Amino acid sequence: MKADNLNKYVIELENVTRIYKLGKYEVTAIKNITLKIKAGEFLAIMGPSGSGKTTLLNLIGALDTPTEGKIMIDGEDISKMNDSQLTHIRRNKIGFIFQFYNLIPVLNALENVELPMLAANVPKKSRLRHAKYLLNILGLDARMHHRPEELSGGERQRVAIARALANNPSIILGDEPTGDLDTETGLEIMHYLKKLNQTQKNKTFIIVTHDPLIANMTNKIIYLKDGRIEKIESKV
Ligand SMILES: Nc1ncnc2c1ncn2[C@@H]1O[C@H](COP(=O)(O)OP(=O)(O)OP(=O)(O)O)[C@@H](O)[C@H]1O
Ligand SMILES: [Mg+2]
């Protein structure tokens, strides 16, 4: 992204509503949310269980589509995209980190990080070089050939972060990425994410968490309640 794009909004939600229909019942998980997020922001989403955090993240990550409203990623309306356009956005613009890592058990750390680049047709040599570079940044030089079961929880999550960064996405989304870790390891993961946010200026990080200590490491906290934004707290 060019320097003059730094102050542009990378994510824009306009009157977004997501209703789940279950037979004759309806659950309105997200209610009329309007939100703008700039490139390079490092923010947290908090709120009680069922308040719509995962739904909001999945909408931003193009894993789900709104029932009403508009979502723009890098100025492009994803609500109007077809499947192949959405696949392109998910593969190249968005990196996901999950609570339970979602690594492939039979692949080692290096191969797990290579996988998204394989899907994007990056040649083997470049794949390897980039995967090693990312694992190195995440302090995993000595763990490249370990399979997930041979790694600690914190190490697994660092492999998952390297994987999320593989195709150089502009947006990194974490759905409770520290939820399965003890506080100390969770904070360590946040330090890595913060460092990445500071060294790769254009990358936007959105982290869902229940833990105020984790949320406090970000620059802005969005509080959800019953599918709406209750308040936004900014730290300068
Ligand atoms: N696939 C689905 N089908 C029907 N209802 C759903 C579905 N996914 C979520 N919901 C409902 O939407 C609401 C918001 O759910 P969501 O998973 O976004 O909450 P959350 O804030 O992430 O909660 P948690 O902190 O427990 O992960 C809840 O009432 C939930 O029951
Ligand atoms: Mg959730």
Side-chain angles (χ1 to χ4, degrees), residues 20 22 27 29 47-56 176 210:
Y20 292 110
L22 298 167
V27 179
S49 183
S51 58
K53 303 182 296 297
T54 295
T55 305
L56 181 59
E176 307 200 33
H210 278 110

Side-chain angles (χ1 to χ4, degrees), residues 9-235:
Y9 294 111
V10 66
I11 301 162
E12 292 169 83
L13 277 74
E14 227 176 85
N15 302 111
V16 169
T17 293
R18 175 64 168 106
I19 301 169
Y20 292 110
K21 290 197 171 70
L22 298 167
K24 56 181 177 169
Y25 297 100
E26 283 190 351
V27 179
T28 308
I30 291 294
K31 291 177 192 153
N32 200 30
I33 284 190
T34 295
L35 177 67
K36 289 178 200 282
I37 297 170
K38 281 183 185 159
E41 286 204 59
F42 187 52
L43 47 90
I45 300 177
M46 292 195 79
S49 183
S51 58
K53 303 182 296 297
T54 295
T55 305
L56 181 59
L57 213 64
N58 289 346
L59 286 166
I60 293 172
L63 291 179
D64 191 8
T65 41
T67 311
E68 281 168 43
K70 196 160 112 173
I71 300 178
M72 315 270 283
I73 300 292
D74 272 342
E76 290 184 281
D77 188 350
I78 62 167
S79 359
K80 289 203 182 110
M81 288 185 183
N82 62 30
D83 282 350
S84 80
Q85 290 170 310
L86 285 173
T87 304
H88 180 83
I89 292 268
R90 276 182 226 121
R91 186 185 292 155
N92 298 290
K93 292 222 163 149
I94 317 260
F96 264 100
I97 313 165
F98 303 94
Q99 180 173 3
F100 299 110
Y101 327 116
N102 293 13
L103 297 170
I104 310 281
V106 295
L107 299 182
N108 67 29
L110 202 55
E111 292 161 339
N112 265 286
V113 180
E114 268 188 83
L115 210 54
M117 292 185 268
L118 190 69
N121 296 318
V122 177
K124 176 83 183 167
K125 240 182 159 173
S126 320
R127 270 196 333 254
L128 262 179
R129 195 184 329 117
H130 193 51
K132 281 181 183 167
Y133 165 79
L134 289 170
L135 287 167
N136 183 18
I137 289 181
L138 286 146
L140 292 166
D141 321 44
R143 298 287 183 278
M144 305 227 179
H145 300 286
H146 288 231
R147 277 182 281 114
E149 64 175 18
E150 298 161 345
L151 296 168
S152 72
E155 288 167 344
R156 283 178 205 182
Q157 198 56 299
R158 282 187 274 147
V159 174
I161 294 170
R163 180 188 56 185
L165 291 167
N167 287 332
N168 198 24
S170 42
I171 300 166
I172 290 94
L173 305 173
D175 196 354
E176 307 200 33
T178 64
D180 191 45
L181 304 169
D182 60 72
T183 302
E184 198 183 327
T185 313
L187 288 173
E188 187 190 9
I189 289 294
M190 288 303 286
H191 277 292
Y192 276 103
L193 294 175
K194 195 167 186 145
K195 195 174 93 185
L196 288 162
N197 175 254
Q198 285 166 348
T199 50
Q200 316 205 357
K201 285 275 184 245
N202 292 328
K203 289 199 195 304
T204 306
F205 288 76
I206 306 179
I207 308 298
V208 168
T209 181
H210 278 110
D211 185 341
L213 275 176
I214 296 290
N216 271 327
M217 289 194 57
T218 66
N219 303 326
K220 193 184 267 186
I221 306 176
I222 297 172
Y223 292 90
L224 290 189
K225 196 179 175 193
D226 299 330
R228 296 180 199 276
I229 295 178
E230 187 186 25
K231 61 176 173 175
I232 298 182
E233 253 174 35
S234 290
K235 285 171 276 173

